[in-house]
Amino acid sequence: MLRMSTLLLRTLRDDPADAEVASHRLLVRAGYVRRVAAGVYSWLPLGYITFRNIERVVREEMDAAGFQEVHFPSLLPREPYEATNRWSEYGPDLFRLKDRKGNDYLLGPTHEEMFTLMVKGEFSSYKDLPLSIYQIQTKFRDEPRPRSGIIRGREFVMKDSYSFDLDDAGLEVSYQKHRDAYVKTFNRLHLNFNIVSAMSGAMGGSKSEEFLAPCPTGEDTYVLCNKCGFAANVEAMVTATQPYTGSAPAAMEIFDSPNTPTIDSLVDLYNKKFGESVSASATLKNVLVMVDDVATAILVPGDREVDLKRVGANLPGAKDVRLFEDEDFQNFPGLVKGYVGPQDAKKLGLKVYADPRVVIGSHWITGANAKDKHIRFVTHGRDFSVDGFVEAAEVKAGDACPECSTPVVIDRAIEIGHIFQLGRKYAEALGLSVLDQNGKSQVVTMGSYGIGVSRAVAAIAEQTHDEIGLNWPQEIAPADIHLVAAGKEDELYNFADKLGKDLETKGLRVLFDDRRDASPGVKFKDAELIGIPFIVIVGKSLADGKVEFRVRKSGDKSELSANNAAEEIFAAVRK
RNA sequence: CGGGGCGUAGCGUAGUGGCUAGCGCGCCUGCUUUGGGAGCAGGAGACCGGGAGUUCGAAUCUCCCCGCCCCGACCA
């Protein structure tokens, strides 16, 4: 039985000045965590019990799925990461250090290399596959900006799994097993979540899905269709398009457009000049970017912004996408800022990619590649062509669902899990292959699967808290019962002590507020802040043979007979 | 890395050139109190983030450095 009189716990009456989001504020105020450095936190007893409960659920579900637990060091030598090129690719996000002999080491940000090498060291036959192994391990990433308390730390605990299969069909099976295990895990954690399609991004690989816990303070934005259930990370959102059906316009026509460097000013001038009433969507915006040192124009309708993240994620092989800067314009003197058009792209030495909305046959008002001149009737396929289509425009609420055309909604969420099919990148780089049935060497294909364990503490806190405090699902809470002795008479404390022991005998976990020097008001506030699901109060009503039973989440209160309080509580709590 | 803000006791804060750095919470001692963050009395706890400078005098002004938070960039 945890006793408040001796627990290493001090709740805070005021919000800490450096905490903004609810989970951070409340976890600090309730005495679960303390900040040690930016993005680095210590766990106090209540917090660590909660953390371990989540860890236990994750471990049980991994084991139940038949995955084997292993454990790697956090301190790792440079060589394996050199072999996969990540020693340099990871850049400044990697915590690096040297040993006394001057050899390079790193603190593991993720462990693909180590898992791959472990399997390589032990297994060499197709008969050993499939295999899925996992660890629960502290990871280190020197994030450019840690934020939101333990939601994005520089040191955090992650469960990471890897699957090893001989072929793509096997990988698909392993992937589904992990997906199923994740659904079970997050359900047990009482997290509300969506599974969304994602881009596999920097890690390489193909199919990828994220588990997102919706929450206003989340840092991921995703798209959801309430009708058909389609869900996607904004990077992975696909634009629904229809072929152009109008008739071909007249030939291109240049017109004077003094002082119209912006879309709005252009639309104004155009409508006045030609007596029309077109909107920004009739204009074509040519956003100039550098894609890994290649000057590229991205074409989007004038009523849309370009989302560089989407461009980067959807241009195959693109590593770095950034906007043109002044010196880039100097390198391309033919480009007139604010008056760029795609019809001269070849001449200007530009690659051109179009958002899918710029369909073949559509015609546009766009820049004439001369100061104060625009051009109209510029037709895709007739007057200009593109090097390809790319998802480029920002996603907006109300865009059509690619599955069923219903307007989608946009929401924010915390990423609590990510699964993806890695493929053979790491197996190839590190030489992991096995002999198949024919005695031929085959490179193994891998999947990679992560759950943010420490982040899940914060995600659950975000989704379950209310104005007065935390509010844990029972399996995660640091105890089942928060037992409060409210009063000063010895009988109260003796009775409560006995009741606590009886509850423990029945298998319930009890946090007993046995502090003699705290007033009832303080104890009630603390109980609400700490967020254990059931609160039992032994107080003034004990004289009438009653104890009080409260449900933290609903606020429901009821009186139980003191005589068989343990039985009644047990029955109420086990539902 | 760009923009903004902050750094005074464990926590929250006041103090914009002048005496011994003030207050609330928390902590210690004593008495009182005990169903919604109690009261009284007495106490402990701060080289005011660090360094250099200006000044008779610096928490306060100047410069440099460090740390932290927020927005953006970036990111399982």
Side-chain angles (χ1 to χ4, degrees):
Chain A
M1 183 155 52
L2 293 167
R3 290 173 185 274
M4 294 274 278
S5 60
T6 51
L7 235 204
L8 176 51
L9 171 72
R10 196 100 300 159
T11 58
L12 305 178
R13 195 180 292 220
D14 302 307
D15 283 337
D18 61 356
E20 202 96 331
V21 302
S23 60
H24 189 198
R25 272 191 301 112
L26 292 171
L27 288 168
V28 172
R29 271 193 61 204
Y32 282 61
V33 301
R34 292 288 181 256
R35 195 187 67 80
V36 172
V40 181
Y41 287 82
S42 299
W43 299 85
L44 280 75
L46 283 184
Y48 197 48
I49 293 168
T50 307
F51 171 88
R52 290 207 315 276
N53 286 340
I54 291 170
E55 186 185 47
R56 192 194 64 244
V57 168
V58 171
R59 180 174 281 120
E60 284 175 4
E61 292 302 328
M62 293 301 111
D63 291 344
F67 310 150
Q68 301 174 55
E69 184 168 9
V70 298
H71 200 74
F72 291 100
S74 296
L75 180 64
L76 298 166
R78 170 177 175 167
E79 287 71 29
Y81 287 77
E82 194 72 78
T84 55
N85 213 25
R86 290 212 292 184
W87 175 261
S88 47
E89 268 182 13
Y90 229 98
D93 282 12
L94 197 60
F95 275 107
R96 299 156 204 267
L97 58 161
K98 286 185 187 294
D99 70 5
R100 64 201 302 158
K101 290 184 261 181
N103 295 320
D104 287 317
Y105 281 79
L106 60 105
L107 296 176
T110 170
H111 283 76
E112 280 81 358
E113 285 81 355
M114 303 312 293
F115 276 89
T116 308
L117 288 170
M118 179 180 272
V119 175
K120 180 185 179 185
E122 311 301 322
F123 281 179
S124 49
S125 160
Y126 75 95
K127 295 181 200 165
D128 297 319
L129 304 181
L131 172 72
S132 284
I133 49 183
Y134 75 96
Q135 69 169 343
I136 295 173
Q137 172 64 287
T138 304
K139 307 286 185 182
F140 300 86
R141 294 182 193 171
D142 196 356
E143 296 278 349
R145 180 147 96 84
R147 71 179 96 182
S148 307
I150 54 177
I151 291 177
R152 175 172 295 279
R154 296 192 297 168
E155 175 181 320
F156 58 99
V157 174
M158 173 162 97
K159 187 288 304 176
D160 54 330
S161 311
Y162 299 86
S163 66
F164 300 85
D165 283 279
L166 189 63
D167 54 31
D168 294 349
L171 171 56
E172 187 60 36
V173 172
S174 294
Y175 181 88
Q176 281 303 327
K177 280 177 74 176
H178 275 89
R179 196 178 192 274
D180 293 345
Y182 274 36
V183 169
K184 286 183 188 159
T185 303
F186 293 128
N187 280 334
R188 270 183 75 187
L189 294 176
H190 285 77
L191 277 163
N192 171 23
F193 64 95
N194 287 302
I195 303 175
V196 315
S197 358
M199 310 297 292
S200 40
M203 313 297 292
S206 48
K207 184 173 179 182
S208 170
E209 289 168 295
E210 287 173 353
F211 290 71
L212 298 184
C215 153
T217 52
E219 47 183 358
D220 280 46
T221 308
Y222 73 105
V223 175
L224 181 66
C225 173
N226 285 319
K227 183 164 178 219
C228 74
F230 169 85
N233 191 305
V234 285
E235 282 88 5
M237 172 68 174
V238 178
T239 303
T241 56
Q242 266 138 26
Y244 183 77
T245 51
S247 50
M252 291 192 289
E253 176 189 329
I254 294 178
F255 59 92
D256 289 328
S257 58
N259 299 316
T260 54
T262 64
I263 295 285
D264 282 348
S265 54
L266 171 63
V267 169
D268 263 8
L269 177 134
Y270 185 90
N271 286 334
K272 282 196 188 109
K273 194 178 190 87
F274 295 103
E276 295 190 28
S277 57
V278 302
S279 68
S281 61
T283 68
L284 185 65
K285 195 184 279 189
N286 301 258
V287 176
L288 297 170
V289 298
M290 294 299 291
V291 180
D292 301 332
D293 304 325
V294 178
T296 305
I298 306 288
L299 311 183
V300 295
D303 59 341
R304 294 270 173 170
E305 298 297 322
V306 166
D307 181 334
L308 290 181
K309 275 186 183 177
R310 299 195 74 215
V311 174
N314 287 287
L315 267 184
K319 289 212 156 60
D320 180 52
V321 179
R322 61 167 178 82
L323 284 175
F324 249 51
E325 289 162 12
D326 288 344
E327 61 184 71
D328 298 312
F329 278 100
Q330 284 164 23
N331 293 334
F332 291 86
L335 294 171
V336 186
K337 204 171 176 179
Y339 299 89
V340 178
Q343 60 282 0
D344 303 318
K346 291 282 174 304
K347 201 169 72 193
L348 297 167
L350 287 175
K351 277 224 167 209
V352 180
Y353 286 93
D355 186 79
R357 289 171 182 79
V358 185
V359 296
I360 305 266
S362 60
H363 62 90
W364 304 86
I365 304 160
T366 192
N369 296 308
K371 179 121 178 86
D372 296 335
K373 302 234 185 256
H374 278 83
I375 182 167
R376 61 175 180 164
F377 306 137
V378 178
T379 304
H380 188 174
R382 183 187 73 183
D383 304 321
F384 69 93
S385 59
V386 299
D387 294 287
F389 289 93
V390 64
E391 292 292 345
E394 60 170 342
V395 176
K396 289 181 182 171
D399 284 352
C401 170
E403 302 285 332
C404 72
S405 298
T406 305
V408 296
V409 298
I410 289 186
D411 204 359
R412 293 183 74 82
I414 300 172
E415 183 185 354
I416 47 175
H418 195 167
I419 56 179
F420 53 100
Q421 301 189 356
L422 262 187
R424 298 185 168 79
K425 173 178 171 180
Y426 291 92
E428 246 154 34
L430 296 164
L432 170 60
S433 54
V434 295
L435 294 179
D436 66 11
Q437 296 91 318
N438 307 314
K440 271 183 63 183
S441 186
Q442 299 279 1
V443 176
V444 168
T445 186
M446 295 168 56
S448 164
Y449 317 91
I451 290 178
V453 177
S454 46
R455 176 180 285 183
V457 178
I460 296 169
E462 288 289 341
Q463 286 194 345
T464 59
H465 79 277
D466 57 22
E467 316 74 54
I468 56 177
L470 297 164
N471 197 343
W472 301 105
Q474 193 173 348
E475 188 167 7
I476 303 314
D480 298 300
I481 309 290
H482 191 125
L483 177 61
V484 175
K488 61 172 178 177
E489 296 81 12
D490 287 343
E491 304 84 74
L492 295 180
Y493 288 83
N494 294 337
F495 182 90
D497 194 273
K498 169 80 166 41
L499 177 56
K501 285 173 181 153
D502 289 347
L503 291 168
E504 287 208 315
T505 306
K506 292 179 179 298
L508 295 178
R509 301 163 300 145
V510 178
L511 171 63
F512 178 23
D513 195 343
D514 58 342
R515 291 175 296 177
R516 293 281 187 153
D517 53 356
S519 68
V522 170
K523 293 180 177 180
F524 296 153
K525 291 285 188 203
D526 276 348
E528 284 148 0
L529 178 61
I530 289 168
I532 288 167
F534 303 102
I535 301 169
V536 172
I537 299 161
V538 177
K540 61 183 183 187
S541 61
L542 184 64
D544 309 322
K546 304 283 188 191
V547 299
E548 190 176 325
F549 179 78
R550 295 185 185 176
V551 179
R552 169 66 181 84
K553 193 171 189 170
S554 63
D556 290 348
K557 301 176 183 180
S558 53
E559 298 236 290
L560 305 177
S561 149
N563 286 332
N564 56 344
E567 285 72 20
E568 293 189 33
I569 293 164
F570 183 74
V573 164
R574 287 285 135 156
K575 39 183 178 301

